[in-house]
């Protein structure tokens, strides 16, 4: 299973989002810090879930990081676009 799949599965399970997009953006970081051959190092995530209603931006980011657990420690960059 790829890290992309792990991210998608973890977020799906934790938040049951109505919209979820996980993009491995590693190739656009070739030559930069954290890049590794084969990708799976830089990710963009767009998630929309009712579970985030009433939460601050920081609380939403913390919730996503908590849901991802050790996955966050195995990647270099994670850009999050989170909303209800």
């Amino acid at each position: 299973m790829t890290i992309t799949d792990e991210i998608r599965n973890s977020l799906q399970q934790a938040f049951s989002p109505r919209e979820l997009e996980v993009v491995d953006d590693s190739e656009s970081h070739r030559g930069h810090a954290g890049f590794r051959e084969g990708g799976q190092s830089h990710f963009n995530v767009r998630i929309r879930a009712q579970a985030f209603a009433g939460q601050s931006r920081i609380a939403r980011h913390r919730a996503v990081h908590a849901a991802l657990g050790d996955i966050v420690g195995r990647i270099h960059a994670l850009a999050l676009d989170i909303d209800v």
Side-chain angles (χ1 to χ4, degrees):
M1 179 183 294
T2 66
I3 294 175
T4 303
D5 293 333
E6 290 182 60
I7 292 170
R8 186 177 293 110
N9 292 343
S10 294
L11 296 178
Q12 187 68 45
Q13 186 174 23
F15 302 110
S16 299
R18 63 180 170 77
E19 182 181 334
L20 177 60
E21 181 180 13
V22 180
V23 176
D24 179 354
D25 190 38
S26 303
E27 190 57 38
S28 68
H29 296 274
R30 183 175 285 279
H32 298 158
F35 175 81
R36 57 182 172 247
E37 279 303 321
Q40 303 295 297
S41 61
H42 295 72
F43 293 89
N44 296 325
V45 172
R46 177 182 167 90
I47 185 170
R48 302 292 182 262
Q50 192 59 40
F52 299 120
Q55 292 185 352
S56 70
R57 182 173 183 249
I58 291 173
R60 292 174 183 185
H61 281 248
R62 286 180 178 155
V64 167
H65 280 253
L68 294 177
D70 74 324
I71 296 170
V72 175
R74 294 188 282 134
I75 63 176
H76 181 73
L78 178 64
L80 298 173
D81 179 358
I82 308 169
D83 209 342
V84 176

